[in-house]
Amino acid sequence: MTATILHNLDLFIFLILLLCGYIVGSLSERRHYRSIEARERALLRLAVVTAEGRFDPYQVKDAFLVNGSVVISTDYFKRLLAILRNIFGGRVKAYESLVDRARREAILRMKEQARAGGAQMIVNLRLETATIGRSANRKKQVGSVEAMAYGTAVVIERQ
Amino acid sequence: MKFTPRLPRENVNVSSTHPLAELLWLTGGLVLIALSGYLLLGLLVDWAAESVPVRAENWLGAKAAEQFPAQPSPALQHRLDLLLDRLPVASPLHDYSFRVSLQETPEVNAFALPGGRIVVFSGLLEQVESENELAMVLAHELGHYAHRDHLRRLGRGFGVTVAAMLLLGKDSFITDFVSQTFLTFEAGYSRTQETAADDYGLKLLVARYGHAGGAVDLFRRMTDRSQAGIAALFASHPHPDDRIAALERVILNNGYPVEEPETLEDENWEE
């Protein structure tokens, strides 16, 4: 038994990483989603729009740039699914949740920053994504995705 | 327009498929492809074994012989030649120039390598007690050549390893794994191939000596003794009991006479 393991050490390490990737990855993903949903509910009343927004000068007390950025890593399990998808084609479902979490987390961080500055809304929201590590999808490399959200936070003059 | 803050009812950006279900589908598809490739390779090998020219076989045989540090043995060669003289005129084995060599290994076994190179292990010679038994062993190996089993066997394991090497490179641990698994799995002949070779060997033995004496003696001795060296033969051949039963059935059905085998002279096998 030990001899078999030692002989196929690479294979065993791969399987262990795969198992770890799956268990830890799905646990942390579930926890992250719970946190995202709770914070989204809490920040629901802070409006974010992609529209430019036109205000009369006397309506705006303050306006400033807010941005939120987050980097989320894939795990071994997701990477394997994506590699297999590369063979068969089709939607890379494993990465969908990854990008979804990154986008929503980035927007949330941006909103938290806006609320800390006393803003009531954010206009002109923009989203950017980038891969971290150029060899993100290459052999023996686990890549990460960065999502960045930025917009203009507006503090409205109270009358 | 009034702005009403609310959360979306469902997330359209994330598919609801369970990741494990997806893994199962994808690996299932991959396994299916690999399996059909393996089957296809098997068919290809069967076809190649039938149609590969002896010249190409000789080249393969030279490659295979490098793995066996065997010395030519004139004493064995002489016995093989006597058998070859008894081959039917139309036998395809006339295209080969058979060479038999001896390897110092306690293992009880003999090999039919491509290109007519037969390797006999010294462990086998220690077990053999009569001329007829030895002739049966050699004739059995000739049977493998007649049915082209020696190529079939080499082909599949070879093919799978080569395919893995081409796809993944020869340094990949998967190639290592594949070659280990398939080359050892495929190293033996199938039960049917062994039985057919036994059948062929028996006919040649009868042609050589005029009777079937000594045909089953070696197998019988193997069932009686349980020695470490013999276990190796069990691993790659069907159980001796089955072979004895099959051989005796053929002897009975064809009405071959069974006489006393000739005693094997103690010879200098090496030179």
Side-chain angles (χ1 to χ4, degrees), chain A residues 10 139-140, chain B residues 164-165 167-179:
Chain A
D10 284 355
K139 227 180 163 186
K140 288 180 182 159
Chain B
M165 226 160 73
L167 282 174
L168 303 158
K170 67 173 188 287
D171 298 325
S172 161
F173 72 90
I174 297 180
T175 308
D176 256 11
F177 184 76
V178 163
S179 65

Side-chain angles (χ1 to χ4, degrees), chain A residues 7-8 10-11 14 22 33 37 40-41 44-45 47-49 77 80-81 84-85 87-88 91 93-94 96-97 100 103-104, chain B residues 3 5-8 11 13-20 22-30 33 168 172-174 177 180:
Chain A
H7 211 258
N8 297 308
D10 284 355
L11 194 67
F14 171 71
Y22 177 66
Y33 264 124
E37 278 158 13
E40 276 180 348
R41 244 174 277 120
L44 190 59
R45 298 205 63 81
V48 183
V49 292
F77 184 77
L80 179 74
L81 284 187
L84 288 174
R85 268 290 165 218
I87 299 172
F88 293 103
R91 285 183 288 171
K93 293 175 188 166
E96 285 177 352
S97 63
D100 183 58
R103 272 193 308 256
R104 288 163 77 175
Chain B
F3 177 76
R6 64 164 175 268
L7 291 169
N11 191 350
N13 291 324
V14 178
S15 306
S16 57
T17 320
H18 197 278
L20 282 182
E22 207 194 344
L23 180 74
L24 215 69
W25 272 108
L26 292 175
T27 45
L30 208 64
I33 288 175
L168 303 158
S172 161
F173 72 90
I174 297 180
F177 184 76
Q180 269 170 35

